[in-house]
Amino acid sequence: NNTDNNKAEIILNNKKSKKIKYTKDQVISKFYPNLSVLVLNSLQELIVNSDLYTQRLVMDFIISHFPIDNNILSEDEKISLMTSALKLLIKNEHSATRRLLIWLMGQNQDEDVEMGEPNIQYMLVLLVKSLKLILKNQRTKDDLLDDIKIIDHLLKQQVKFVDYILEPISIEIILVV
């Protein structure tokens, strides 16, 4: 057995009793062609779970396995995940909010974070796109109030976001109000 996970051979028997050798990546792509969609949907469902303990655990998992600057998820998938995670702000629960900010800021949520750092700038781009998506998807007055709560709680938690977020989403805010 080869210790390299990507080159490890997996032998599967087909219907004619022939052994076929696949690498781990080939097995994943053959039998789980939509794996990233499955993972993303699972994470989103766990985030919106009403159980606070589950939300904390999934945010811890996202922090450790899917940092904002990861190469695992596409940009659209990151925006989708971020859109779901931002909805945690509606409840204004301290531990979920703290975990969300840790994920957004990349463990650096202290006051000395340089907003010009490339990873922070990338996060801000995703954050603006996520907030725009949230504002476009509101359907009722309650949805609008929830959207405003998200923005309000986010800007109260990270005042330094105001200069980078409020102007780019102002048109969407005006259009929905």
Side-chain angles (χ1 to χ4, degrees):
N1 278 352
N2 191 343
T3 58
D4 187 343
N5 286 340
N6 292 333
K7 296 186 179 184
E9 290 183 352
I10 299 170
I11 300 173
L12 299 175
N13 292 326
N14 66 9
K15 292 178 183 176
K16 298 178 183 176
S17 297
K18 292 182 184 176
K19 291 185 178 182
I20 302 171
K21 292 182 181 181
Y22 292 105
T23 64
K24 182 179 178 183
D25 289 340
Q26 288 171 327
V27 169
I28 290 172
S29 65
K30 180 175 176 75
F31 296 107
Y32 303 103
N34 297 323
L35 184 61
S36 66
V37 173
L38 177 67
V39 170
L40 183 64
N41 288 343
S42 299
L43 291 173
Q44 288 174 315
E45 284 300 316
L46 289 168
I47 288 172
V48 298
N49 186 312
S50 61
D51 180 45
L52 185 59
Y53 184 68
T54 303
Q55 290 173 339
R56 289 178 189 165
L57 288 175
V58 75
M59 285 309 299
D60 287 340
F61 182 79
I62 290 170
I63 290 166
S64 63
H65 290 83
F66 299 98
I68 294 290
D69 58 354
N70 75 69
N71 294 327
I72 299 168
L73 300 174
S74 70
E75 184 171 303
D76 288 341
E77 291 169 332
K78 291 175 191 175
I79 291 168
S80 181
L81 185 60
M82 189 179 288
T83 301
S84 296
L86 285 169
K87 292 179 183 174
L88 291 172
L89 293 170
I90 295 169
K91 294 181 180 179
N92 199 21
E93 199 281 320
H94 177 71
S95 64
T97 300
R98 184 177 55 79
R99 284 170 171 82
L100 172 65
L101 293 174
I102 289 171
W103 180 55
L104 292 176
M105 302 298 285
Q107 303 286 348
N108 300 323
Q109 56 175 343
D110 60 355
E111 294 299 319
D112 296 335
V113 172
E114 184 62 42
M115 296 304 283
E117 291 179 21
N119 59 331
I120 300 295
Q121 287 293 310
Y122 180 65
M123 178 272 300
L124 290 170
V125 168
L126 296 178
L127 190 56
V128 166
K129 289 179 180 181
S130 297
L131 290 170
K132 285 182 176 184
L133 186 63
I134 288 171
L135 289 166
K136 285 180 185 175
N137 289 336
Q138 62 92 7
R139 296 159 303 285
T140 65
K141 287 183 180 181
D142 288 338
D143 291 337
L144 176 59
L145 290 175
D146 286 345
D147 297 348
I148 299 302
K149 280 182 189 176
I150 290 170
I151 295 167
D152 179 52
H153 292 310
L154 179 66
L155 296 180
K156 283 180 181 175
Q157 293 296 320
Q158 288 293 330
V159 176
K160 56 188 141 199
F161 284 177
V162 171
D163 294 336
Y164 300 93
I165 291 175
L166 209 49
E167 185 179 339
I169 66 169
S170 61
I171 292 174
E172 281 77 10
I173 293 173
I174 292 168
L175 290 176
V176 298
V177 175

